[in-house]
Amino acid sequence: MVKKITQQEAEKLIAGIREAYEIKIRQLNYRLDGLTAENRVLRASLAEYKSREGKVGKAIVAAEEKGEEIVQMYRMSAETELSSLRLFADKWKRLAAQMAGAIPADEAKKYAEFAENLSALLGKERGRFGMNEQAQPEQFDPKAVIEKYVEGEEETGFNLDDVINPKGELDLEKLCRNLGLMDD
């Protein structure tokens, strides 16, 4: 047995269903508006992150280029310093040769040993440090060479304080003549 419903009951039922659907549609529209707003925010964040990514990429490339420039600058600086030290070593050798007859023999020997060791350290010729220019063309580390020299400085007998503040009486006129800085 099927129960018959009246028109009024049918309209009430339809009105209830319509109201339930309208409520559901409003809820879905409200949720859709929220998701649309969230989507806009996420798209803006994504665009910002992509922009940052591009800037970071450019910054990394710029930093690498600057790093290469710095490496080249320090390499050139080290080569310049090495060249200056080699010139100094040559001058010291000439000075040691000139001083050979003007100073005591043991001091002359110390000056000559220092000149030889300095040249060896700088890679100009083989000395007691066993280095030469062909052995380390790309591996030259001036700091390591200088540190090694400083460690072995006591062995050479060379003392910079003695040069700056000699213990004996210093005849500057005779020294300048011997160095060729003054005419007789």
Side-chain angles (χ1 to χ4, degrees):
M1 307 204 292
V2 178
K3 179 180 173 188
K4 281 189 170 185
I5 49 175
T6 63
Q7 171 130 6
Q8 197 176 18
E9 289 175 339
E11 286 176 4
K12 224 177 183 188
L13 182 61
I14 291 173
I17 292 172
R18 181 181 295 148
E19 189 177 325
Y21 274 118
E22 285 175 356
I23 290 171
K24 188 66 173 174
I25 288 171
R26 275 193 299 260
Q27 288 175 344
L28 290 174
N29 281 337
Y30 179 73
R31 180 160 159 88
L32 179 64
D33 290 343
L35 290 174
T36 303
E38 186 179 347
N39 191 1
R40 274 191 227 113
V41 169
L42 291 174
R43 284 181 190 263
S45 294
L46 178 63
E48 183 180 339
Y49 286 128
K50 284 185 178 182
S51 172
R52 285 184 185 176
E53 180 184 28
K55 289 177 183 175
V56 167
K58 288 178 183 176
I60 289 172
V61 169
E64 287 175 347
E65 290 172 355
K66 191 65 173 179
E68 286 298 318
E69 287 177 22
I70 291 170
V71 166
Q72 289 293 50
M73 181 188 70
Y74 279 110
R75 183 172 285 132
M76 288 178 9
S77 176
E79 289 172 1
T80 302
E81 289 299 319
L82 178 61
S83 176
S84 296
L85 287 171
R86 285 180 175 164
L87 288 172
F88 174 75
D90 290 341
K91 287 180 183 179
W92 191 274
K93 270 187 159 180
R94 288 192 303 271
L95 173 66
Q98 290 175 356
M99 299 286 288
I103 59 175
D106 60 333
E107 291 296 316
K109 182 181 176 189
K110 289 178 186 178
Y111 275 82
E113 282 181 14
F114 174 76
E116 179 184 318
N117 291 336
L118 185 59
S119 291
L121 281 170
L122 297 174
K124 291 196 86 159
E125 57 192 49
R126 239 184 215 295
R128 70 180 189 152
F129 294 103
M131 300 172 69
N132 66 17
E133 206 168 269
Q134 290 76 28
Q136 296 180 343
E138 289 293 322
Q139 302 293 336
F140 179 73
D141 181 11
K143 186 176 178 183
V145 171
I146 290 170
E147 287 173 354
K148 187 174 181 179
Y149 173 74
V150 169
E151 288 173 7
E153 185 177 21
E154 295 300 318
E155 296 174 20
T156 64
F158 178 76
N159 187 346
L160 188 59
D161 287 333
D162 289 344
V163 173
I164 295 172
N165 301 311
K167 292 180 179 110
E169 201 170 306
L170 182 63
D171 185 0
L172 289 177
E173 184 177 343
K174 182 179 177 186
L175 181 62
C176 289
R177 281 198 176 99
N178 288 338
L179 294 175
L181 299 173
M182 279 181 61
D183 294 331
D184 288 332

